[in-house]
Amino acid sequence: MSLVPPPSSTMKAPRAKIPLSIITTIICAIAFIALLYTERLNFLYSNSILKVKSCSRRDVFKKSSDRAEDFDDSRVDDRFDFDPEECNVANGKWVFNSSLEPLYTDTSCPYLDRQVSCVKNGRPDSDYRHWEWQPEDCTLPRFSPELALKKIRGKRLLFVGDSLQRGQWQSFICLVESIIPEDQKSMRRGRSHSVFKAKEYNATIEFYWAPFLVESNSDLHIIADPKKRILKVDSVAKHAENWMEVDILVFNTYV
């Protein structure tokens, strides 16, 4: 008599089949996840998170420190020639340029007050003379004293304001006076009104002291305590009498 082992010990149990509904559900879930992932990538790309942007030559050569390396025009070729109608000169930065020669110094110009003369006040370095303004979009031309004088020929140019404006007035005179012969220029300083004459050009470069532009009790005798200053904010006529016939006005006040 032969012994036959039980079927469970020699034969494998048949595999259970996964219902079609479960397989369909899994495939749909995978497809849905893939769709979400694709849409996420498209969203990131459209919002420039993954998008690679081309850089202008100005960005490529942007210096880690403006002071460490001089500005070189030859490395920036995407700025257009200066056009006052197109170029926003207020949009830019100061750049150090060691090759820049200042048009004047506080020792070469005789019209600077002691209070704005760095050398006379003991400043030992001269690096501050080599900073130039670089607009972002265009190339600012070098200041031309001759061109500036031609533009104000036969005109009155008046700077009105406080001590900051007086410094600007003196600086402008220093920019142009070097090309004017000694016998063709003169300076008359007054308590409130000072006049530089460029006789050859029949032009004047003037300054009128009005620290608040409007009338105040601190116009000539400066009152240190701001609480004691009185400003007539609706009264400009007293000062305006001094600029009624002026061709070009430049206003400034620190207030």
Side-chain angles (χ1 to χ4, degrees):
M1 179 177 175
S2 61
L3 297 176
V4 179
S8 59
S9 60
T10 59
M11 298 179 62
K12 295 182 179 179
R15 297 180 180 178
K17 293 185 179 180
I18 301 176
L20 181 61
S21 60
I22 297 178
I23 297 176
T24 303
T25 302
I26 294 174
I27 293 175
C28 290
I30 295 175
F32 181 71
I33 294 173
L35 178 62
L36 288 179
Y37 183 76
T38 303
E39 290 297 323
R40 178 60 177 170
L41 287 180
N42 290 335
F43 172 77
L44 294 176
Y45 187 83
S46 64
N47 284 273
S48 302
I49 298 177
L50 300 177
K51 190 181 296 183
V52 178
K53 294 183 177 180
S54 60
C55 299
S56 65
R57 292 180 64 86
R58 178 169 55 242
D59 295 330
V60 171
F61 291 110
K62 185 176 182 181
K63 300 178 289 296
S64 59
S65 172
D66 291 332
R67 177 61 183 84
E69 183 179 354
D70 292 347
F71 172 66
D72 183 1
D73 283 324
S74 64
R75 299 175 67 181
V76 179
D77 58 4
D78 58 349
R79 292 186 297 148
F80 54 83
D81 291 337
F82 177 73
D83 182 348
E85 298 296 329
E86 298 291 337
C87 181
N88 180 10
V89 296
N91 182 24
K93 60 183 178 180
W94 288 100
V95 178
F96 187 84
N97 184 357
S98 61
S99 63
L100 178 69
E101 289 297 328
L103 292 174
Y104 75 91
T105 66
D106 48 3
T107 56
S108 67
C109 181
Y111 301 107
L112 286 178
D113 291 339
R114 174 63 183 264
Q115 64 182 358
V116 294
S117 176
C118 295
V119 174
K120 292 179 181 178
N121 284 294
R123 182 165 182 167
D125 68 291
S126 60
D127 285 349
Y128 63 92
R129 301 174 182 172
H130 299 285
W131 288 91
E132 62 180 350
W133 182 251
Q134 174 197 325
E136 184 71 17
D137 300 318
C138 67
T139 303
L140 193 65
R142 179 77 160 157
F143 180 85
S144 170
E146 183 177 5
L147 179 60
L149 287 170
K150 286 181 178 179
K151 286 184 177 294
I152 64 171
R153 184 188 295 275
K155 294 182 173 63
R156 292 178 61 192
L157 167 61
L158 178 62
F159 292 79
V160 180
D162 54 12
S163 58
L164 294 176
Q165 188 73 322
R166 182 170 55 202
Q168 295 295 316
W169 166 68
Q170 293 177 8
S171 179
F172 188 85
I173 293 175
C174 292
L175 285 170
V176 301
E177 65 88 20
S178 61
I179 69 170
I180 305 174
E182 287 296 329
D183 61 346
Q184 293 296 315
K185 57 187 175 183
S186 65
M187 170 71 86
R188 177 182 61 81
R189 292 181 181 266
R191 191 175 185 182
S192 297
H193 189 198
S194 300
V195 180
F196 174 86
K197 287 186 177 181
K199 301 176 184 178
E200 180 182 353
Y201 295 88
N202 188 30
T204 59
I205 305 170
E206 310 172 34
F207 171 72
Y208 180 75
W209 173 261
F212 303 103
L213 299 183
V214 297
E215 186 179 350
S216 78
N217 67 342
S218 190
D219 286 344
L220 292 179
H221 302 286
I222 303 298
I223 298 177
D225 186 357
K227 296 181 180 180
K228 295 181 180 180
R229 294 175 183 170
I230 300 175
L231 274 67
K232 300 179 180 180
V233 295
D234 58 347
S235 176
V236 72
K238 177 182 177 181
H239 294 318
E241 293 178 354
N242 295 275
W243 63 67
M244 292 301 295
E245 302 299 326
V246 171
D247 299 286
I248 305 171
L249 277 170
V250 185
F251 289 104
N252 163 264
T253 175
Y254 76 97
V255 179

